[in-house]
Amino acid sequence: MSDETLSNLLKEDRRFEPPADLAADANLTEEAYARAASDREAFWAEQAERLDWTQTWDRVLDWTDPPFAKWYVGGRLNAAYNCVDRHVEAGRGDKVAIHWVGEPVDDKRSITYAELQAEVSQAANTLTELGVGAGDRVAIYMPMIPEAVVTMLACARIGAPHTVVFGGFSSDALASRLTDCQAKVVVTADGGYRRGAPSALKPAVDEARAKAADRDGHTVEKVLVVRRTGQEVEWDDAVDVWWHESVAQAPTEHQWEAFDSEHPLYVMYTSGTTGKPKGILHTTGGYLTGCAYTHWAVFDLKPETDVYWCTADIGWVTGHSYIVYGPLANGATQVLYEGTPDSPEKGRWWQIIEEYGVTIFYTAPTAIRSFMKQGREIPDARDLSTLRVLGSVGEPINPEAYVWYREVVGGGRTPVVDTWWQTETGSIMISPLPGVTHGKPGSAMIPIPGISADVVTEEGQSVPNGSGGYLVLTEPWPSMLRTIWGDDQRFKDTYWSRYAQQGWYFAGDGAKKDDDGDLWVLGRVDDVMNVSGHRLSTTEIESALVSHPKVAEAAVVGAQDPDTGQAVCAFVILRDEAGDGGDDIVEELRNHVRKEIGAIAKPRQIMVVPELPKTRSGKIMRRLLRDVAEHREVGDVTTLADSTVMDLISGKLTSGK
Ligand code: WTA
């Protein structure tokens, strides 16, 4: 799109009314806002009734010891039973739960709820046999194959919290997570398919296990391995167990037990402002309620007829809430795709939508922008007329991407729900409702019924319409994080200290209220970047860079990027003994970051500089570096300890060295 179109769209004041047929039959209607506001707890009690409990709660919410919440106090349930068995018991065993599509063409499999029940039971039996009991942690490092979902549900079934580590993370990143949550067992695969080729996973698990043992003295007892690609793997008989020789042979019956509503369901690591990732803890009853309710309300799910597809990876929270727990608790039929959007051809996603008649589609703005670049001919070549609701998540959606998504993918018919939430919130907090809210390109609109949010000043004053500030959630909600694994203090400091007096949750995002009072989320206000919808910490990448022997100091910023939202840009000072670092220094450092954290954190750009801009108190002024990275004139330098530093950096860059 030309710049002119872009600025026209930014001034865009078109509004899209909900389609009449959708509005007429919407799951949630306007009255829900007032009903939820007048009695929040009653509203949330009603939502929890979507689940089957073996014992109902005595109290909806216990908020007597904030910020430590307890939801559905005294209630008991099993999350896997709710996601699987109860649908079978209700006579829907033959309904497809997952249409799984492998990356190699024709490698596909549709799994019914009854089949899922049998497989989850087998995996639960095997995990038990491997010594996993309720409360033990199981790490999952897998490609997007059905066994990944089966493993998560099997863990839930036996009350063993899982921690899924994104398959793109390095062995180092995996090792620190294994240690942090003291994982007893790791479930992995020999590899998965990425861009047409097998990509290994098991070697990273072997390395991570060794590192966790040598470095941190932590022993992973067993590694359960799915054979997916058939590639060669190292094998240790004392530790490694093949899935096909254990799970596939195990009994298909497994007696589940009910757990307390507050029993830990999983730990999901996410980047914070320090170098150490935070293990976000979610528990059972409240989390599952939040996922089931939002998936039903925000996507207007009709489980009997819809075919739903969320393109996230299960290694992120979106995959947890909107592939596993929400859709399955609701008995939905969904697509699960293993590979990349453009393999083996650019139109693979649209082919999948056509083949399965997908009706609800949930993806990220970064993906939409890359399709826009490829041109509309590619989606236009497929029949996408089954689509009726489109969702967006992970980063702000720019108006031109929103309009393209609605027009080209949605044929101009479909509402786009721009859903704001976080790993910490567990489920969607701010979003239009497709049958109620008119669409406004670029705005996430207002909190969904049951959720209370505001945009406030530093001092905690609600900002008037037309102004910006910090996004806060002003009331507790069922799927809220309960703590940071093993670090209650960090939990309080990070989210609850800024507005301690008011008792509000500080989200770390900036937002603005427009003249109608609708919310526009602007992005992080801390040292967290958002690259292609993935959260990365500047500090974590800086520590990865300085761990390289040639690097003395490093500063990382997230620079605007037209494709990925933000991109990682690093400035490094080399050690004296490293000289100019050699010709390949930039590539060497980029690969070092990949090895330390993973490919997603690999800087787009690394600049070797003689100095870094610092204040008199030694704080790096990232604002100035961002100016350089975004090719802007460098801003105010008067607070620098040495104001000539920026000239040095700019001079160095123009000289091309
Ligand atoms: C950003 C992903 C604008 C935001 C579910 C948040 C968004 C962070 C949106 C959480 C949206 C997510 N509009 N920004 N619709 N959705 N974000 O934990 O900065 O991976 O704080 O959870 O992504 O990222 P996380």
Side-chain angles (χ1 to χ4, degrees), residues 270-271 316-318 322 362 365 392-397 417-425 430 442 444 471 505 507-510 520-525 528-530 533-535:
T270 187
S271 295
W316 308 112
V317 75
T318 308
Y322 297 107
Y362 193 28
S392 171
V393 62
E395 53 179 318
I397 180 163
V417 289
D418 174 10
T419 63
W420 177 87
W421 59 294
Q422 309 177 298
T423 305
E424 291 86 342
T425 69
I430 303 176
L471 183 59
Y505 169 85
D509 277 320
W520 297 65
V521 179
L522 303 171
R524 305 289 309 186
V525 292
V528 173
M529 287 173 286
N530 191 324
H534 300 318
R535 266 166 79 167

Side-chain angles (χ1 to χ4, degrees), residues 60-375:
V60 174
L61 168 65
D62 178 354
W63 191 234
T64 52
D65 179 27
F68 300 98
K70 290 196 179 95
W71 280 89
Y72 309 116
V73 185
R76 295 183 74 80
L77 76 169
N78 185 290
Y81 170 80
N82 273 281
C83 290
V84 185
D85 304 63
R86 65 169 176 155
H87 307 308
V88 180
E89 287 171 15
R92 295 189 294 272
D94 292 336
K95 185 178 196 291
V96 171
I98 296 173
H99 287 297
W100 177 71
V101 183
E103 193 184 86
V105 174
D106 292 333
D107 185 4
K108 51 190 175 187
R109 182 177 156 215
S110 292
I111 303 159
T112 64
Y113 274 97
E115 288 165 345
L116 191 60
Q117 181 184 36
E119 288 190 33
V120 171
S121 300
Q122 289 182 306
N125 283 321
T126 299
L127 287 173
T128 308
E129 201 151 292
L130 295 178
V132 179
D136 290 337
R137 273 80 61 205
V138 174
I140 301 178
Y141 185 69
M142 289 174 99
M144 289 282 285
I145 53 178
E147 289 85 348
V149 177
V150 167
T151 304
M152 289 167 73
L153 292 168
C155 288
R157 198 176 181 94
I158 61 174
H162 52 72
T163 185
V164 183
V165 179
F166 174 58
F169 276 125
S170 67
S171 60
D172 273 320
L174 176 59
S176 59
R177 287 157 174 78
L178 293 179
T179 303
D180 191 74
C181 74
Q182 298 280 298
K184 192 167 187 178
V185 166
V186 180
V187 186
T188 188
D190 49 0
Y193 288 94
R194 296 299 289 171
R195 303 209 151 76
S199 149
L201 285 169
K202 172 78 164 47
V205 175
D206 297 341
E207 271 173 51
R209 202 163 54 79
K211 272 178 205 149
D214 300 346
R215 193 179 64 190
D216 316 313
H218 168 65
T219 314
V220 169
E221 293 176 15
K222 292 285 175 191
V223 178
L224 180 58
V225 190
V226 175
R227 188 148 73 194
R228 164 71 186 129
T229 58
Q231 64 205 108
E232 226 18 62
V233 288
E234 299 263 324
W235 203 256
D236 177 348
D237 277 329
V239 177
D240 297 328
V241 180
W242 279 118
W243 180 283
H244 59 267
E245 289 174 359
S246 53
V247 180
Q249 314 297 327
T252 53
E253 312 259 297
H254 175 269
Q255 185 51 54
W256 56 274
E257 60 179 297
F259 294 99
D260 188 89
S261 177
E262 284 298 336
H263 188 79
L265 183 62
Y266 70 82
V267 177
M268 170 95 247
Y269 285 88
T270 187
S271 295
T273 50
T274 71
K276 191 172 180 280
K278 305 176 282 199
I280 304 299
L281 174 68
H282 284 293
T283 59
T284 310
Y287 173 77
L288 201 59
T289 299
C291 291
Y293 158 61
T294 52
H295 181 254
W296 169 87
V298 174
F299 299 107
D300 190 53
L301 178 82
K302 305 283 194 272
E304 297 312 313
T305 46
D306 275 318
V307 179
Y308 165 85
W309 182 17
C310 166
T311 65
D313 191 285
I314 51 142
W316 308 112
V317 75
T318 308
H320 282 53
S321 302
Y322 297 107
I323 293 178
V324 180
Y325 292 107
L328 296 177
N330 288 335
T333 292
Q334 70 177 320
V335 169
L336 181 74
Y337 174 53
E338 176 186 31
T340 43
D342 50 0
S343 194
E345 43 108 6
K346 290 205 172 85
R348 184 79 194 269
W349 276 12
W350 319 121
Q351 177 268 317
I352 294 172
I353 292 179
E354 181 182 81
E355 180 176 342
Y356 292 95
V358 172
T359 58
I360 304 171
F361 184 60
Y362 193 28
T363 194
T366 184
I368 300 165
R369 287 193 298 267
S370 72
F371 294 127
M372 283 172 76
K373 265 202 351 209
Q374 293 166 5

Side-chain angles (χ1 to χ4, degrees), residues 345 347-355 376-385 408-409:
E345 43 108 6
R348 184 79 194 269
W349 276 12
W350 319 121
Q351 177 268 317
I352 294 172
I353 292 179
E354 181 182 81
E355 180 176 342
R376 66 174 296 158
E377 316 74 70
I378 300 172
D380 279 353
R382 295 287 177 177
D383 178 3
L384 307 179
S385 63
V408 176
V409 179

Side-chain angles (χ1 to χ4, degrees), residues 529 531 536-538 540-546 551 554-559 561 564 566-572 585-608 629:
M529 287 173 286
V531 178
L536 296 171
S537 142
T538 49
E540 201 180 348
I541 302 177
E542 285 165 2
S543 9
L545 283 165
V546 293
V551 176
V556 166
V557 297
D561 183 284
T564 57
Q566 285 187 312
V568 181
C569 288
F571 295 80
V572 297
I585 183 69
V586 167
E587 220 26 51
E588 191 177 325
L589 295 180
R590 292 180 74 224
N591 286 330
H592 180 71
V593 174
R594 178 222 279 269
K595 186 187 140 288
E596 292 284 308
I597 306 175
I600 43 166
K602 215 172 146 179
R604 179 187 73 184
Q605 199 177 8
I606 296 182
M607 302 182 224
V608 178

